[in-house]
């Protein structure tokens, strides 16, 4: 972050820590995820316009913005579920490989949590969590199982281990999906609207798991409109509109005093309901 | 009726030859069709292109032409499909090893043709699996083949059983062409032998031959109906 100290985002991250936000320590060292000059089109639609973003180790970045502004695409570009046309994305210093085994290896280090959970429908919760470690990391089955049970314990659904995803509530499924991603011991976790598909009474149980992850120092990129989460756990809020990063700031200053008109307009809309 | 009972042995041996052809061709078509389907959904554009070209060309060519190509085209370029003389298998299916290549050609033609339909049935099943499933697999770091084997195909499986069955039934009926392209003694060629050479009346002979095909296709159809019904319940 040091070399960017003069720029608003870095100052924002610093202000977040200073303002007493959740993170105890100022993120330090070389950035873990870097996007430089990233562009992407869907046909004629320019969904990502010259995106520049650096995410430090241990930093929690919340991405917010109107529907269709490119938040999901940005998130998915970081593990190349969406290929980009232009620019560069690096994770822990390594540029994203094009395809094949190298890409698979890099994806193993990047956890992803989807809006619709996407648990493997034909496998039990436990099998969902052990599959990656066993097949990708080649962890012995017994070891993977005991680590998976620890993770399921941590997200509070150890008693559901033998069930199929369809037998769980949405909140439980999403916590299982978080456990599945964590089982790979990822360097960074991506969350694309993890609570948007949940019934309201289940949102908090998922946010609680995410907040505790953030406290433990996990590097996280979280697309969400949950301001409570942003205030309690994020170092920085990135506001996107029309495929561009319009503004970035510490959560408190973004929510109380957004500087762009787009952000003011957007916040007035989500605050009124 | 006398025609049928009097020639029961001939019908039975014809049935047996046809049974061998469809069994071998079904295995071949399932293997080749799976390969082509994997190509069509592969992340590599050249493979995708090749798979698509295969399906487009083969599916839109009349089967008779495919048989012509194998029965007359292959010998012209000196190919006798000798790769099908698979040790052990050729002692079980003795005609695989003979010097007369038409049995092997029939299997090649049916395999090549049916594989395109197998590919499309599999692909429809794969497409019916929610894209989020394979995205979740990919984001865990599974390779393309691991993702296909562990996540997508097991879930596509159920949705492909019935369409695949229909493809195989069509192939059984198509196998009648083998008798017209040099395979001696299959069900269809048996009818030709009995009517033209021995001068037996056509109607009972063809009833016998049709019964032979029905013995193969009807149970398969019934099985598919049952599978379809059981899927409707569990869904
Ligand atoms: N696979 C796709 N094909 C074509 N257009 C897409 C695709 N995915 C997203 N889009 C379009 O790209 C824009 C940005 O989408 P997205 O990144 O999902 O936005 P957000 O997550 O901010 O709502 C939207 O207009 C959307 O309709
Ligand atoms: Mg989205």
């Amino acid at each position: 972050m040091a070399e960017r100290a003069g720029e608003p985002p870095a100052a924002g991250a610093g202000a977040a820590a200073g303002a007493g936000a959740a993170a105890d320590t100022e993120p330090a060292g070389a950035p873990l995820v870097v996007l430089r000059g990233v562009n992407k089109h869907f046909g004629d639609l320019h969904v990502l316009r010259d995106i520049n973003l650096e995410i430090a180790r241990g930093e929690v970045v919340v991405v917010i913005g109107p529907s269709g502004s490119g938040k999901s695409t940005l998130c998915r570009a970081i593990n190349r579920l969406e290929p980009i046309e232009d620019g560069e994305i690096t994770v822990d210093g390594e540029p994203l490989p094009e395809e094949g085994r190298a890409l698979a290896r890099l994806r193993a280090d990047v956890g992803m949590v989807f809006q619709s959970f996407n648990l493997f429908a034909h496998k039990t919760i436990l099998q969902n969590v052990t599959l990656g470690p066993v097949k990708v990391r080649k962890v012995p089955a017994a070891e993977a199982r005991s680590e998976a049970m620890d993770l399921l314990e941590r997200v509070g659904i150890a008693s559901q281990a033998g069930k199929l995803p369809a037998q769980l509530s949405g909140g439980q499924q999403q916590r299982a999906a978080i456990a599945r991603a964590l089982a790979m011991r990822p360097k960074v976790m991506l969350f694309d609207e993890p609570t948007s598909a949940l019934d309201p009474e289940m949102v908090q149980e998922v946010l609680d798991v995410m907040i505790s992850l953030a406290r433990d120092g996990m590097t996280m990129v979280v697309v969400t409109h949950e301001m409570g989460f942003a205030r309690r756990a994020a170092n920085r809020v990135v506001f996107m509109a029309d495929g561009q990063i319009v503004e970035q700031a510490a959560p408190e200053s973004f929510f109380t005093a957004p500087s762009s008109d787009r952000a003011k307009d957007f916040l007035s809309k989500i605050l009124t309901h | 009726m006398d025609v049928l009972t009097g020639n029961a042995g001939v019908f039975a041996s014809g049935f047996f030859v046809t049974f061998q052809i469809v069994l071998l061709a079904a295995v071949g078509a399932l293997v080749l069709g799976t390969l082509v389907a994997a190509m069509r959904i592969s992340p590599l554009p050249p493979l995708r292109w090749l798979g698509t070209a295969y399906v487009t060309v083969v599916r839109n060519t009349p089967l008779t032409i495919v048989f012509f190509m194998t029965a007359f085209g292959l010998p012209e370029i000196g190919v006798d499909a000798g790769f099908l003389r698979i040790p052990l298998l050729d002692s079980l299916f003795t005609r695989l090893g003979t010097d007369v290549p038409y049995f092997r050609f029939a299997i090649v033609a049916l395999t090549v043709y049916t594989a395109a339909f197998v590919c499309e049935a599999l692909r429809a099943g794969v497409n019916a699996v929610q894209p989020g499933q394979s995205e979740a697999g990919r984001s865990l770091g599974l390779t393309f083949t691991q993702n296909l084997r562990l996540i997508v195909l097991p879930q596509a499986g159920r949705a492909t059983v019935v369409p695949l069955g229909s493809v195989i039934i069509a192939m059984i009926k198509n196998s009648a062409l083998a008798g017209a392209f040099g395979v001696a003694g299959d069900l269809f060629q048996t009818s030709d032998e009995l009517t033209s050479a021995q001068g037996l009346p056509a109607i009972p002979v063809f009833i016998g031959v049709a019964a032979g095909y029905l013995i193969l296709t009807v149970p398969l159809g019934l099985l598919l109906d049952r599978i379809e019904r059981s899927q409707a319940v569990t869904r």
Side-chain angles (χ1 to χ4, degrees):
Chain A
M1 295 303 286
E3 74 275 19
R4 305 191 56 199
E7 295 175 41
D24 305 324
T25 51
E26 172 90 51
L32 186 59
V33 179
V34 178
L35 291 88
R36 231 177 254 124
V38 171
N39 280 285
K40 177 171 179 75
H41 290 80
F42 282 122
D44 288 340
L45 186 68
H46 200 167
V47 270
L48 295 179
R49 296 168 187 253
D50 202 31
I51 299 284
N52 290 290
L53 185 66
E54 292 191 358
I55 295 150
R57 266 162 232 281
E59 194 182 12
V60 177
V61 172
V62 159
V63 181
I64 197 169
S67 174
S69 56
K71 308 179 296 296
S72 296
T73 309
L74 175 76
C75 217
R76 292 159 58 84
I78 296 177
N79 67 359
R80 212 168 192 284
L81 282 181
E82 296 290 355
I84 57 170
E85 292 131 18
D86 194 20
E88 192 190 35
I89 300 178
T90 63
V91 175
D92 207 5
E94 267 190 79
L96 287 192
E98 286 280 307
E99 266 307 333
R101 286 178 186 281
L103 178 61
R105 202 157 46 240
L106 186 128
R107 278 181 177 147
D109 289 336
V110 179
M112 176 117 192
V113 175
F114 302 86
Q115 180 173 345
S116 46
F117 329 134
N118 293 349
L119 289 171
F120 303 129
H122 61 308
K123 298 202 174 283
T124 65
I125 298 303
L126 183 63
Q127 289 169 336
N128 264 274
V129 180
T130 55
L131 185 108
V134 170
K135 299 294 178 185
V136 178
R137 299 263 193 242
K138 311 293 178 201
V139 175
E143 189 183 327
R145 212 160 34 239
S146 95
E147 282 179 16
M149 285 311 297
D150 289 347
L151 280 168
L152 290 175
E153 193 76 54
R154 179 169 164 194
V155 300
I157 50 169
S159 61
Q160 316 291 323
K163 292 190 182 162
L164 288 171
Q167 296 173 283
L168 269 59
S169 74
Q172 290 172 325
Q173 287 191 54
Q174 195 58 300
R175 286 183 280 154
I178 294 173
R180 174 177 68 178
L182 286 176
M184 297 301 289
R185 303 174 186 263
K187 293 174 180 166
V188 52
M189 290 270 284
L190 312 172
F191 295 81
D192 187 5
E193 304 211 28
T195 58
S196 299
L198 297 177
D199 291 335
E201 75 272 20
M202 294 171 187
V203 168
Q204 199 54 46
E205 67 192 46
V206 171
L207 291 180
D208 286 343
V209 169
M210 292 168 58
I211 289 169
S212 98
L213 260 185
R215 295 241 158 92
D216 292 345
M218 176 60 74
T219 308
M220 294 162 67
V221 177
V222 186
V223 178
T224 184
H225 293 163
E226 294 291 337
M227 280 193 285
F229 173 81
R231 283 201 153 101
R232 288 179 61 192
N235 301 92
R236 180 161 41 131
V237 173
V238 169
F239 175 72
M240 281 186 78
D242 295 334
Q244 279 174 308
I245 295 182
V246 176
E247 174 173 354
Q248 342 186 17
E252 223 27 72
S253 69
F254 176 79
F255 290 120
T256 51
S259 56
S260 65
D261 289 340
R262 293 295 305 261
K264 278 177 198 155
D265 181 49
F266 174 72
L267 285 174
S268 73
K269 278 177 190 147
I270 64 166
L271 289 177
T272 48
H273 58 74
Chain B
M1 210 54 210
D2 292 349
V3 171
L4 292 185
T5 47
N7 292 289
V10 182
F11 282 114
S13 89
F15 176 82
F16 185 58
V17 171
T18 291
F19 180 70
Q20 291 187 26
I21 292 176
V22 298
L23 194 64
L24 291 167
V27 172
L30 287 173
V31 172
L32 184 61
T34 306
L35 269 173
V36 178
M39 286 165 81
R40 281 206 77 175
I41 56 179
S42 125
L44 301 175
L47 286 185
R48 274 208 303 272
W49 187 86
L50 206 62
T52 308
Y54 181 93
V55 170
T56 310
V57 170
V58 172
R59 231 180 16 158
N60 293 301
T61 303
L63 177 60
T64 320
I65 305 295
V66 178
F67 264 100
F68 264 112
M69 298 276 241
T70 52
F72 299 106
L74 290 183
E76 239 170 50
I77 55 170
V79 175
D80 73 344
F83 62 89
L84 280 175
R85 299 183 189 213
I86 303 162
L88 285 179
L89 203 64
D90 67 0
S91 51
L92 205 58
F93 301 90
T94 47
R95 289 197 178 205
L96 275 181
T98 58
D99 288 337
V100 183
Y102 295 109
F103 182 83
R104 293 192 295 273
F105 286 162
I107 288 165
V108 169
L110 282 172
T111 295
V112 163
Y113 183 76
T114 311
F117 296 88
V118 168
C119 163
E120 290 309 276
L122 285 176
R123 213 165 59 91
V126 165
N127 288 340
V129 177
Q130 285 195 351
Q133 295 285 308
S134 103
E135 286 188 352
R138 279 191 282 159
S139 63
L140 278 183
L142 296 180
T143 61
F144 172 73
T145 41
Q146 281 180 320
N147 209 7
L148 211 54
R149 191 163 49 81
L150 300 168
I151 309 300
V152 180
L153 287 182
Q155 295 189 66
R158 297 175 56 91
T160 53
V161 173
V162 173
L164 275 181
S166 310
V167 167
I168 298 302
I169 288 177
M171 191 202 74
I172 293 172
K173 294 186 287 179
N174 288 338
S175 75
L177 269 177
F181 284 91
V183 175
D186 85 322
L187 261 180
F188 182 77
Q189 199 269 331
T190 296
S191 65
D192 195 40
E193 171 69 22
L194 291 176
T195 51
S196 306
Q198 302 186 19
L200 293 175
I203 291 178
V205 168
F206 280 101
I207 288 177
V209 168
Y213 286 102
L214 291 176
I215 291 171
L216 290 171
T217 51
V218 169
L220 195 51
L222 291 176
L223 181 69
L224 291 180
D225 284 347
R226 278 187 64 161
I227 293 172
E228 201 167 15
R229 267 202 307 277
S230 75
Q231 283 183 358
V233 173
T234 50
R235 203 173 281 150

